[in-house]
Structure formats: structure tokens, C-alpha cells
Amino acid sequence: KLILVQDGIVELSVKLNDVVNTDTPNLFVIERLSRGAVINFQSFMMSDISDTDFKCMTKVSAFTLKYDALIKVSHKYPDL
């Protein structure tokens, strides 16, 4: 699925291997996404499975689009 953030903030982060404090994991924020951001576009366009974790930092509203729905729309609107 392709995900379009309509409202809110979503963070993409990774856990670092060398955890100094075991009470809280060392997370490195790669990107902070907000209104208008598209999540998972590369896997979506290749019809592949994504294994990326995202965390909603605020209340988030999002629109999802399945690959087969895009194919149907593209037949109806070839300029897309």
C-alpha cells in the first residue's frame, strides 16, 4: 500500500546497535514526515513488500492506496 499523510507527524527511525543505556533504546530519527508526505512509494511502485517501521508522533490521518486500485485507475486515465 501507498500511504499519504493527510495530517499529523510520522517518524522513521532505526535502532542503533551499540545501546549504552539499556532502559531506553538508542533510536536515530532518519526522517520526520508531515502533511503531504508519501510513505512506501518505492516498494509500492515495484509491487514489493516493505519492511519499514514508522511511528506516529501525533494523531495522524492518512490515505492508503492499494496497487491494484492504481492499476484500475491507470487504465481509466492513461495520462496518469
Side-chain angles (χ1 to χ4, degrees):
K1 295 178 188 174
L2 178 88
I3 302 168
L4 173 66
V5 178
Q6 293 174 314
D7 195 26
I9 298 172
V10 180
E11 276 188 357
L12 167 62
S13 59
V14 293
K15 201 179 292 187
L16 301 176
N17 289 338
D18 54 345
V19 177
V20 178
N21 183 352
T22 56
D23 295 334
T24 57
N26 281 345
L27 295 177
F28 177 74
V29 176
I30 295 174
E31 192 169 8
R32 183 170 284 129
L33 306 169
S34 59
R35 182 179 178 91
V38 178
I39 299 173
N40 195 34
F41 69 92
Q42 290 175 331
S43 295
F44 177 79
M45 295 307 287
M46 295 175 16
S47 190
D48 195 8
I49 296 172
S50 177
D51 189 22
T52 306
D53 294 322
F54 293 88
K55 181 178 179 181
C56 297
M57 301 307 292
T58 64
K59 187 174 182 178
V60 172
S61 173
F63 172 80
T64 60
L65 178 65
K66 292 183 180 180
Y67 187 77
D68 58 340
L70 176 67
I71 297 303
K72 288 178 185 176
V73 171
S74 69
H75 288 296
K76 188 172 181 179
Y77 302 100
D79 290 343
L80 180 65

